[in-house]
Amino acid sequence: MGFNEEIHRRRTFAIISHPDAGKTTLTEKFLLFGGAIQVAGAVKSNKIRKTATSDFMEIEKQRGISVATSVMAFDYHNMKVNLLDTPGHKDFAEDTYRTLTAVDSVILVVDAVKGVEEQTEKLMGVCRMRNTPVIVFVNKMDREGGNPFDLLDELEKKLNIKVRPLSWPISNGARFKGVYNIYEKNLQLFRPNKTTIEDEKVVIRDLNDSVLDKQIGEFAGQLREDMELINGVYDPFTPEKYLEGSVAPVFFGSALNNFGVKELLDCFVEISPSPRGRMSDTRMVEPEEPKFSGFVFKIHANLDPRHRDRIAFLRIVSGKFERNKFYHHVRIDKDFRFANPVNFMAQDKNLIEEAYPGDVVGLYDTGNFKIGDTLTEGENFMYKGIPSFSPEIFKELINTDPLKTKQLEKGVQQLTDEGVAQLFVQQPGNKKIIGTVGELQFEVIQYRLLQEYGASCRFAALPLHKACWMTFSDPKFFDEFTRFRSQRVAFDKDENPVYLAETAWALNDAIVKNPGIEFHFTSDFKLN
Ligand code: G4P
């Protein structure tokens, strides 16, 4: 197969959802269709249950599962599908944001009963920032839910995107009859707990055909009415609008019952984008370019504390990646070659010889990589990633074993390179402030510092509201700012000055009184 054909048959995507909407169940059904697993139950949920926050073994187990399922690749209809896993727990939302930089499209799973939930809104916000094409799957139609038109309205309002149903449910809950596939013009009848994967479809070109009445009886009239309304309210579906990220096609079904899943997957491989180019700090890089390039979007520490090596996950943007070939690590200006690059197939890791744009390769690393690093065949550019967001919880890290200071420094450095949390340092005194989006990270940091680096620490809560990055045209503005607020200034890992605001009021006051300083709530100013 030629280079361009290899690119165009790839589909790299993520499934996102609020916990419990059915992401794991849907993933598993996709893998069954793709032949990557043979039995249901093979994919473990990567959820950390709330009750497990102090159960460190649970966190370790979670890390084990998430490395095994980081990328699940499978073939389907001669397409190579790369499904990137995202953590279920909201405290790991930043991990998910970063994974979204490495995909070309997403499938959003929504619980038909619960509708749009908080985390769905946040994740979709990130997709909207990048105009990532989205397909929505409304799951759990076998449960009693609300009116599908209301749900579509809610999706449009809360997710700030136009929707277009491509299938339509016939009732729900105990009376759920099935879906009418608007895209393919056929009727699929619901059989609960259908474990087989062959499809049972009745082609219905004309909804006025009496076959419809024969199949769904009293529900036929409602379906005809609904379809009339849909055709009146929604514009006809065009793949272009979906690809530019302005319209999200919607499917209805039940992942648990394997219902509507195959239709979703068939449509997905047909309309979703093949690997797209990425913007670097110097130019746009297209997948068809012959020279290899890619970026690291995730780093996973080794589960075995005796081996300090880690796996860096690299998304290939352009050219062909080859084992044992030297590539240029742009940030540290050094060349590296990789003797054991791996790919991931459901539960297995396999050594690979080559990989193509859209693929994700795992590179063993002894501490050279940070999230966002770029590898090229020599050219000097860095890919723009998802920025860090201002953390929501702040704590001072206090060393409780002075004999292990070096280990602590190294551990904190490496864990923050992995993106576990953000580090801000305050002078004088080298005070370390850790910022995260969730409480769980503090437990992870404390546990891992001890297990992997032999360093012990405790955290002291800091009543801070936000960390804002500051830029200024003239250093005198910053000097002036520091004169009055030296206690509130710290520096991030790249030595960028950060204002640690204690309240929303103080932040506003600082903004009003310092017109010479620009305050940023995400770190993406670094990329401009
Ligand atoms: P998540 O990864 O998005 O967090 O969700 P997951 O797939 O783990 O599904 C959450 C729960 O919802 C599971 O039940 C799962 O069986 C159920 N579920 C998924 N799809 C459907 C569906 O189409 N209909 C119905 N009725 N339920 C569905 P659980 O009891 O929490 O877990 P388990 O003990 O069954 O694993």
Side-chain angles (χ1 to χ4, degrees):
M1 200 177 292
F3 175 57
N4 283 355
E5 279 165 274
E6 283 288 2
I7 300 174
H8 296 135
R9 77 182 192 99
R10 277 163 167 76
R11 298 287 182 270
T12 302
F13 79 113
I15 302 180
I16 56 174
S17 74
H18 190 89
D20 273 341
K23 181 167 72 79
T24 310
T25 315
L26 185 67
T27 300
E28 184 165 283
K29 295 298 183 299
F30 278 1
L31 295 181
L32 281 167
F33 282 120
I37 55 170
Q38 269 66 47
V39 285
V43 179
K44 297 282 171 293
S45 166
N46 68 4
K47 274 180 286 186
I48 297 178
R49 309 244 174 233
K50 200 66 212 156
T51 51
T53 47
S54 56
D55 180 350
F56 301 118
M57 283 325 291
E58 196 59 35
I59 295 173
E60 283 297 276
K61 224 163 68 196
Q62 148 82 14
R63 291 176 55 216
I65 292 166
S66 65
V67 84
T69 61
S70 283
V71 187
M72 290 163 276
F74 59 92
D75 283 309
Y76 185 73
H77 288 182
N78 201 29
M79 297 287 190
K80 178 162 184 232
V81 182
N82 294 314
L83 169 50
L84 273 52
D85 195 27
T86 54
H89 199 287
K90 78 167 178 20
D91 286 6
F92 292 93
E94 289 251 346
D95 266 12
T96 303
Y97 300 154
R98 286 191 287 262
T99 298
L100 292 178
T101 63
V103 301
D104 300 299
S105 69
V106 305
I107 291 182
L108 168 69
V109 183
V110 177
D111 183 324
V113 185
K114 295 191 180 144
V116 177
E117 297 171 86
E118 182 204 340
Q119 214 169 321
T120 317
E121 279 184 66
K122 282 200 183 148
L123 294 171
M124 269 298 287
V126 175
C127 293
R128 305 289 296 129
M129 268 165 63
R130 306 174 57 83
N131 295 325
T132 308
V134 179
I135 298 180
V136 180
F137 182 67
V138 179
N139 190 28
K140 307 197 185 181
M141 288 307 296
D142 56 320
R143 292 210 177 148
E144 303 297 329
N147 179 323
F149 283 109
D150 292 343
L151 184 65
L152 293 182
D153 280 350
E154 189 187 339
L155 285 168
E156 288 206 333
K157 274 201 202 95
K158 291 199 177 157
L159 304 182
N160 187 26
I161 190 167
K162 281 196 153 148
V163 297
R164 202 329 164 172
L166 287 190
S167 81
W168 193 250
I170 301 157
S171 195
N172 60 34
R175 286 154 61 87
F176 183 50
K177 291 282 157 233
V179 293
Y180 177 67
N181 190 325
I182 305 171
Y183 194 57
E184 290 178 357
K185 293 199 181 342
N186 61 39
L187 189 69
Q188 202 194 350
L189 298 171
F190 179 61
R191 312 246 183 277
N193 304 316
K194 190 169 73 111
T195 45
T196 52
I197 54 176
E198 72 270 15
D199 39 350
E200 298 170 30
K201 288 177 191 163
V202 185
V203 176
I204 302 204
R205 297 255 157 248
D206 178 2
L207 280 170
N208 291 320
D209 197 323
S210 62
V211 180
L212 189 67
D213 302 85
K214 233 185 261 156
Q215 292 289 344
I216 57 172
E218 54 178 317
F219 297 95
Q222 184 68 47
L223 178 64
R224 288 183 183 118
E225 256 176 51
D226 286 353
M227 288 311 300
E228 211 166 294
L229 196 57
I230 288 168
N231 292 329
V233 173
Y234 297 100
D235 291 336
F237 174 71
T238 57
E240 295 73 34
K241 289 257 185 279
Y242 153 71
L243 289 173
E244 66 188 36
S246 57
V247 172
V250 182
F251 286 85
F252 293 82
S254 166
L256 188 64
N257 291 291
N258 204 3
F259 186 79
V261 175
K262 187 170 183 298
E263 292 62 36
L264 172 70
L265 184 57
D266 286 348
C267 180
F268 166 77
V269 291
E270 190 183 322
I271 67 170
S272 66
S274 58
R276 293 174 148 187
R278 292 285 187 282
M279 198 62 195
S280 76
D281 56 358
T282 61
R283 66 182 184 88
M284 185 73 192
V285 182
E286 298 295 345
E288 294 83 4
E289 293 184 21
K291 291 207 166 152
F292 159 80
S293 70
F295 64 92
V296 172
F297 64 95
K298 173 173 173 155
I299 292 174
H300 217 292
N302 200 315
L303 292 173
D304 181 349
R306 284 166 303 176
H307 298 107
R308 202 49 76 62
D309 59 347
R310 316 185 280 181
I311 297 181
F313 291 81
L314 178 113
R315 147 92 196 211
I316 299 172
V317 178
S318 66
K320 187 160 90 174
F321 172 90
E322 289 171 72
R323 184 165 90 93
N324 274 329
K325 192 165 166 180
F326 275 99
Y327 292 120
H328 186 58
H329 187 319
V330 179
R331 180 176 55 84
I332 56 177
D333 194 19
K334 258 190 185 170
D335 291 348
F336 288 89
R337 68 193 179 117
F338 303 92
N340 301 303
V342 289
N343 73 357
F344 304 84
M345 278 309 249
Q347 254 56 355
D348 302 325
K349 270 197 294 211
N350 304 303
L351 190 72
I352 51 150
E353 292 298 329
E354 55 184 40
Y356 293 88
D359 286 344
V360 170
V361 291
L363 306 174
Y364 287 101
D365 168 44
T366 47
N368 295 309
F369 285 118
K370 266 194 204 182
I371 302 262
D373 277 344
T374 300
L375 286 182
T376 69
E377 269 192 63
E379 198 176 332
N380 276 324
F381 60 73
M382 292 285 284
Y383 283 109
K384 298 183 167 198
I386 275 266
S388 305
F389 291 83
S390 174
E392 288 161 27
I393 308 174
F394 299 85
K395 291 188 185 180
E396 183 185 348
L397 183 137
I398 298 164
N399 185 357
T400 51
D401 183 355
L403 293 176
K404 295 283 168 64
T405 303
K406 257 197 183 152
Q407 285 87 335
L408 184 89
E409 292 280 340
K410 185 166 183 202
V412 170
Q413 199 65 33
Q414 294 211 339
L415 293 186
T416 47
D417 278 356
E418 271 178 44
V420 175
Q422 293 182 55
L423 172 68
F424 305 105
V425 178
Q426 218 171 24
Q427 301 299 355
N430 211 19
K431 184 166 153 182
K432 290 186 179 52
I433 297 168
I434 304 280
T436 70
V437 291
E439 279 290 343
L440 200 49
Q441 265 91 344
F442 292 101
E443 295 186 38
V444 172
I445 293 169
Q446 203 174 27
Y447 176 75
R448 290 188 54 193
L449 281 176
L450 191 62
Q451 293 297 311
E452 295 168 29
Y453 301 89
S456 63
C457 70
R458 67 182 173 84
F459 291 103
L462 292 172
L464 292 175
H465 167 68
K466 259 197 168 65
C468 299
W469 286 268
M470 293 184 278
T471 51
F472 33 83
S473 51
D474 189 328
K476 75 170 192 249
F477 296 123
F478 180 60
D479 294 342
E480 181 77 358
F481 183 85
T482 323
R483 225 158 29 99
F484 294 108
R485 294 184 170 81
S486 63
Q487 299 291 314
R488 296 273 159 254
V489 174
F491 291 86
D492 75 1
K493 287 188 72 176
D494 304 318
E495 301 290 321
N496 295 297
V498 174
Y499 168 46
L500 304 170
E502 56 282 47
T503 60
W505 185 88
L507 175 60
N508 197 36
D509 188 54
I511 294 172
V512 172
K513 292 198 177 131
N514 294 278
I517 295 183
E518 247 190 277
F519 295 84
H520 308 267
F521 295 91
T522 65
S523 66
D524 59 352
F525 68 90
K526 295 183 202 172
L527 304 165
N528 295 329

